[in-house]
Amino acid sequence: MPVRYKLKEFLFETIIRASGLASIIAVGLIFFFLLKEGTLLFQTQTLGDFLLGKKWYPISEPPGFGILPLILGSLLVTLGAAIISIPLGIACAVYIAEVAPPRIKEILKSGVELLAAIPSVVLGFIGIVTVVPWIKSTFDVPTGLTAFAGSFILAFMAMPTVVSIAEDALHSVPKIYKEGAYALGATQWQTIYRVVLPAAASGIVAAVMLGIGRVVGETMAVMMVTGNSASMPKGIFYPVRTLTATVAAEMGETVQGSDHYFSLFAIGIVLFVITFAVNMTADVFIHRRRK
Amino acid sequence: MSSPVIQTEGLSLFYGDFQALRNVNFTVMEKRITAIIGPSGCGKSTLLRVFNRMNDLVEGVQVSGKVLLDGQDIYAPETDLLALRKKVGMVFQRPNPFPISVYENILFGLRIHHLADKRRGELDRIVEESLKSVLLWDDLKDRLANIATNLSLERQQKLCVARLLVMRPEVLLMDEPCSALDPMATARVEELMQELKKNYTIVIVTHNMQQAARVSDDTGYMYLGELVEFGPTQKIFTTPRDKRTEEYITGRAG
Ligand SMILES: Nc1ncnc2c1ncn2[C@@H]1O[C@H](COP(=O)(O)OP(=O)(O)OP(=O)(O)O)[C@@H](O)[C@H]1O
Ligand SMILES: [Mg+2]
């Protein structure tokens, strides 16, 4: 091989390797920074008080840095969003992949993509003017700014992820499985739930996990519609506060180097761990599917 | 002499504007093996898929003429499509067991036709019997819970036959069932076909003329959508009437 080509190849390889390395280093630095600042909180607080404490009073005297209400708030909102978006998303994916005629399929697919393109602040805004008053009047509660409103809006944000990845998984089920089922005298519905869905199962689980990952980390829309009450959540029809919303709302007004400041970083670590775990689970299922 | 199970009269089939079958008059006799041979694209698979109406799944298919199964026109509006496919089973070119356990693969047909609401012992017996009839029981009796798609291709293909047998079909359609298998496996599947012939009527599409000559009792030669010649395999391979058949068999065409 001429030297000229060798040099070119070497250059390309170096550039690609360097950019790969850069992204890993960036992630490492972010995590390191998060860890460094976050752990400073534990000079004055114990981990147990932080994770399981029920009082989040960061600027009172004496302060409380218990994030249990925030964890539960996130959990409640996420769970609600999952309960709404999983069945809806899978049903929608099945319809697009297996049932819809080609034209409707195209329309639906672009619709789902469009949904993904709506900025989260816009969804939050729409939530405030439609979902929140609707919840207040329908369920007869003092305020519509509730965990349920958050779940409802987040379900919409998770849908595009769930639908497109699940649809992809369904679509890649080999055609010969379906033919086999039809040739045995199965109906379309039997073919879908006995053959296509099980064959796509790991891809669908991955879709769900990635949808949930999206929901856990979401901030803006949730902050706008959940009422932001940092007390222990009493139910889905009460205001709550999520981990993400807490960081976003309070970061601007803390004193750098204070316990409050460190505690927000510690919340960041908790979020990082949760999202990482969810995405890893999704990854495991995606790889299982490829096998 | 046995009686005809399938008969087509003036059968034509269009995929949109393209005519894939031209005025085909074809007969399948009971408990015999009927082979369909011919060059690629001549309509062998299409004809086979008429018999269990798998062509219905293709957009824009038009069928005319008559297709009789036990004297009943299967394209008549009152035909129960699902019952037809239970009676006329199909084995595909690429083995396609479902990615579930061997056990559940076999019971799949019974479950979808709601015939599996029996006691566990009874189901176990059905699974054993069907695996025995495809000569797989000794190989698989300890692996019933394994995922079927991990088996060897030969076993997968035999399992696909077993999966049909639990429904007590009349006819087995096989579309190049051995083309994914090595010669040894092919020989064993051919042996299985001879075994199955005692109880079932078999129609096989094959690219392999030797295979047709070895396994079949009757043979039809197709060319460009036409059934050129049809008769006892012996006769087709030794004294074909049509020049086109002769050319194909002696290797000068196709
Ligand atoms: N779904 C379809 N839509 C349109 N044309 C089709 C379709 N399926 C088959 N054809 C055409 O019909 C003709 C017959 O196809 P068929 O699959 O029956 O041939 P074959 O004899 O089985 O060929 P092979 O030996 O390659 O399997 C071919 O020209 C093919 O291109
Ligand atoms: Mg074919």
Side-chain angles (χ1 to χ4, degrees):
Chain A
M1 191 159 34
V3 181
R4 200 154 47 89
Y5 285 123
K6 255 192 191 154
L7 191 72
K8 225 178 185 175
E9 208 154 285
F10 173 76
L11 231 91
F12 267 123
E13 228 180 276
T14 314
I15 292 172
I16 289 171
R17 189 171 305 151
S19 40
L21 228 57
S23 61
I24 294 176
I25 291 173
V27 171
L29 284 178
I30 291 171
F31 188 62
F32 177 73
F33 186 63
L34 208 57
L35 214 60
K36 180 178 140 275
E37 301 284 289
T39 45
L40 286 176
L41 175 69
F42 303 112
Q43 290 177 328
T44 60
Q45 309 287 318
T46 67
L47 186 62
D49 283 345
F50 175 64
L51 289 177
L52 300 175
K54 293 180 184 169
K55 295 200 163 82
W56 177 255
Y57 301 141
I59 43 179
S60 304
E61 204 48 57
F65 292 109
I67 61 165
L68 190 63
L70 312 178
I71 292 179
L72 291 179
S74 276
L75 205 72
L76 201 61
V77 171
T78 305
L79 210 70
I83 290 172
I84 300 171
S85 65
I86 291 172
L88 221 60
I90 293 176
C92 185
V94 166
Y95 182 71
I96 292 177
E98 298 293 323
V99 185
R103 260 195 67 83
I104 295 187
K105 186 175 179 152
E106 284 317 307
I107 295 173
L108 277 177
K109 276 175 96 165
S110 352
V112 168
E113 266 160 40
L114 213 64
L115 193 57
I118 299 176
S120 112
V121 68
V122 173
L123 266 181
F125 172 69
I126 294 174
I128 288 182
V129 298
T130 60
V131 178
V132 169
W134 172 74
I135 290 175
K136 182 170 156 50
S137 61
T138 311
F139 300 99
D140 197 23
V141 284
T143 170
L145 296 165
T146 55
F148 183 63
S151 297
F152 197 90
I153 293 297
L154 282 186
F156 275 96
M157 306 197 62
M159 279 284 278
T161 310
V162 177
V163 173
S164 64
I165 296 175
E167 198 260 338
D168 196 45
L170 292 168
H171 187 78
S172 58
V173 171
K175 204 169 155 241
I176 56 169
Y177 291 163
K178 281 187 252 175
E179 282 200 315
Y182 283 124
L184 284 163
T187 61
Q188 183 178 30
W189 173 233
Q190 286 174 328
T191 305
I192 290 171
Y193 85 84
R194 283 190 182 270
V195 177
V196 180
L197 280 175
S202 41
I204 291 175
V205 174
V208 166
M209 293 314 284
L210 289 174
I212 288 177
R214 173 110 172 67
V215 165
V216 174
E218 172 50 36
T219 310
M220 186 47 83
V222 162
M223 200 156 87
M224 292 166 79
V225 301
T226 50
N228 287 315
S229 148
S231 52
M232 287 293 279
K234 296 197 255 325
I236 56 166
F237 289 115
Y238 291 88
V240 297
R241 165 87 79 81
T242 63
L243 293 163
T244 50
T246 305
V247 177
E250 299 179 8
M251 203 45 154
E253 48 202 52
T254 74
V255 181
Q256 199 166 355
S258 66
D259 271 354
H260 186 199
Y261 174 85
F262 296 139
S263 70
L264 295 182
F265 276 91
I267 290 179
I269 297 174
V270 172
L271 271 170
F272 187 91
V273 169
I274 295 175
T275 319
F276 186 73
V278 168
N279 285 352
M280 279 305 282
T281 318
D283 219 47
V284 165
F285 279 97
I286 286 174
H287 284 293
R288 184 180 299 177
R289 185 182 133 209
R290 295 236 174 91
K291 225 172 51 177
Chain B
M1 196 61 200
S2 61
S3 55
V5 176
I6 297 175
Q7 265 180 307
T8 75
E9 291 167 16
L11 170 68
S12 289
L13 182 144
F14 287 83
Y15 291 117
D17 296 333
F18 175 75
Q19 184 164 11
L21 295 178
R22 297 167 187 274
N23 190 27
V24 171
N25 298 302
F26 192 82
T27 309
V28 177
M29 296 300 240
E30 195 183 3
K31 303 210 170 126
R32 283 162 80 89
I33 298 180
T34 304
I36 305 172
I37 60 171
S40 207
C42 67
K44 305 181 294 293
S45 299
T46 301
L47 179 59
L48 201 67
R49 283 161 175 264
V50 162
F51 302 146
N52 63 348
R53 286 185 53 178
M54 281 295 277
N55 290 317
D56 288 21
L57 298 175
V58 179
E59 197 85 21
V61 166
Q62 287 284 335
V63 180
S64 61
K66 264 192 186 156
V67 184
L68 305 176
L69 175 74
D70 299 326
Q72 302 284 320
D73 188 353
I74 61 169
Y75 278 87
E78 68 272 14
T79 302
D80 179 348
L81 188 58
L82 305 183
L84 169 72
R85 289 180 182 158
K86 179 165 166 278
K87 214 150 98 173
V88 182
M90 181 169 240
V91 178
F92 295 80
Q93 189 165 351
R94 261 181 64 203
N96 61 350
F98 304 121
I100 50 180
S101 69
V102 168
Y103 190 88
E104 281 303 320
N105 259 283
I106 293 171
L107 293 179
F108 189 91
L110 295 185
R111 295 213 192 280
I112 58 172
H113 292 284
H114 309 293
L115 300 169
D117 45 345
K118 294 174 178 154
R119 278 163 294 118
R120 177 86 196 195
E122 174 73 357
L123 293 179
D124 288 352
R125 197 192 55 72
I126 290 172
V127 168
E128 177 174 346
E129 187 192 340
S130 78
L131 279 179
K132 275 183 176 157
S133 47
V134 297
L135 319 174
L136 269 187
W137 175 248
D138 291 332
D139 290 345
L140 294 188
K141 65 178 173 222
D142 301 320
R143 296 196 242 166
L144 296 178
N146 287 17
I147 299 297
T149 41
N150 295 336
L151 299 173
S152 73
L153 285 176
E154 177 189 352
R155 286 179 182 151
Q156 287 189 26
Q157 196 62 303
K158 287 179 175 173
L159 180 64
C160 288
V161 177
R163 176 170 83 175
L164 300 177
L165 301 187
V166 295
M167 297 193 295
R168 312 234 156 270
E170 259 180 67
V171 183
L172 301 177
L173 307 174
M174 301 186 169
D175 194 344
E176 306 192 34
C178 300
S179 64
L181 308 183
D182 64 49
M184 294 298 288
T186 299
R188 287 188 292 264
V189 170
E190 287 176 6
E191 190 186 322
L192 170 64
M193 290 175 66
Q194 296 303 331
E195 198 59 38
L196 292 171
K197 193 171 105 171
K198 294 174 191 156
N199 298 305
Y200 306 94
T201 304
I202 298 175
V203 188
I204 177 175
V205 164
T206 175
H207 247 116
N208 179 332
M209 271 184 292
Q210 286 78 30
Q211 182 171 54
R214 277 194 305 266
V215 301
S216 71
D217 303 297
D218 299 310
T219 298
Y221 171 65
M222 292 189 68
Y223 186 68
L224 297 178
E226 223 177 296
L227 181 65
V228 172
E229 189 164 350
F230 182 78
T233 301
Q234 265 284 316
K235 256 186 86 186
I236 297 280
F237 278 91
T238 52
T239 53
R241 267 183 294 110
D242 198 287
K243 233 173 90 71
R244 290 169 291 180
T245 316
E246 191 186 333
E247 280 175 354
Y248 182 72
I249 282 167
T250 54
R252 267 176 282 151

